[in-house]
Amino acid sequence: MTASFLIYAAVALFAYGLLSKRLASTPLSGPMVFVGLGVVAYASGILEPIRVISSGIAEVLELTLALLLFTDATKVQVRSWNADMDLPTRLLTIGMPLTIVLGAFVAMLVFPSIGLIAALIAATILAPTDAALGNAVVTNKRVPIRIREALGIESGLNDGIALPILLFLLTLGEEAEGAGLWRLFFEEIGIGLLVGIGLGAGAALAIRFAVGKSWIAHSWVGISTVAVAFCVYLVADDMGGSGFIAAYVGGITFGRSVEPVEPSSGEFGMDLGTIFTMVSFLIFGVYILGPNLDFFTAEAVLYGILSLTVIRMIPVAISMIGTELRPPTVAYLGWFGPRGLASIIFAGVLVEGTSLGESELVVSIVVVTVTLSVVLHGTTAPWGAERYAKWYNEQDRVTDDAA
């Protein structure tokens, strides 16, 4: 990573911070601003193109996703989800698998040359949602908390669910024999699970002990949580396992034990995750989108639009059957499923790092879809949240928790 990029990123973060409150009420979301600044830096020649995979930038993207997976997973024990888990459970267990299947089917229609495995890989990469792209959707307090939390929980957990599916598909795409599948289960996922559970539980017990003895300062609980997240990822990766699986499982294990005694343990990690996320979108603009505007073919744009609409909205509608949610609420849940950071990293690191023959096509599909999502979801989030909240608050509620 070059010094010029670090300087540019620091200036961009500072400038955005000065205007962050003002911009929060406009259609210009943080990801949109940083992607735009990245494209401008590339187009103007301020930053020269470099290869992401071999430059150290890939490591930044990987650590960002590991931190987000860990901190999001610690929220699995959040009391509000335990009290009303019906909607996020439906989105994750019904909506997400249907999204992958439908996404692969549509990919094979739009791209006749794409194989089944590559189509499934593209659909899986684009299945996770990213609440950061439409922050107003999950932060507008006029929107019912049940709906906001359903989208937030889905966004926090679906990338961890998509990861083992993606690893399995990548193995199928690369290996002609079944030996690769055994390696997947016993090495990548197995090591990831063991490291995540072992280090997550051990670190949690140590922090609980230190809290009980009043040895640890409150601010250092958050710092230690971030250290654990990075350690879990790096140890598993160094041992030949999936660091992402380890981070996700480690977060669940860690959060189950630490959250009850230190509910704010993840706050520093979330703040740091926000910084890393914006830098990652800047990287996306400079080094991925800017040099590859030729990815925007008619077929790729068509698939991107379909991915954000029917491929997302039909499975969500099916998953909500039986909930008695009204059509505007189902449409709100369906439309606001932005594709963002997880998709970028899965495509750039997991796909380009393999020998899959159709990796360039898959990456182009993902880049176009994420770009469309950054623009469309970013611009519609404040307006859409306000419009939905207004509609909801004007309705006569049949029950106290109906939506």
Side-chain angles (χ1 to χ4, degrees), residues 92 96 127-129 153-163 248 312:
L92 292 168
M96 187 173 178
T129 57
I153 292 169
E154 179 199 20
S155 172
L157 300 183
N158 55 15
D159 40 9
I161 295 172
L163 183 57
Y248 187 70
R312 159 74 181 180

Side-chain angles (χ1 to χ4, degrees), residues 12-28:
L13 287 167
F14 177 74
Y16 182 81
L18 294 177
L19 300 171
S20 56
K21 187 174 182 179
R22 177 70 184 88
L23 290 173
S25 60
T26 73
L28 291 175

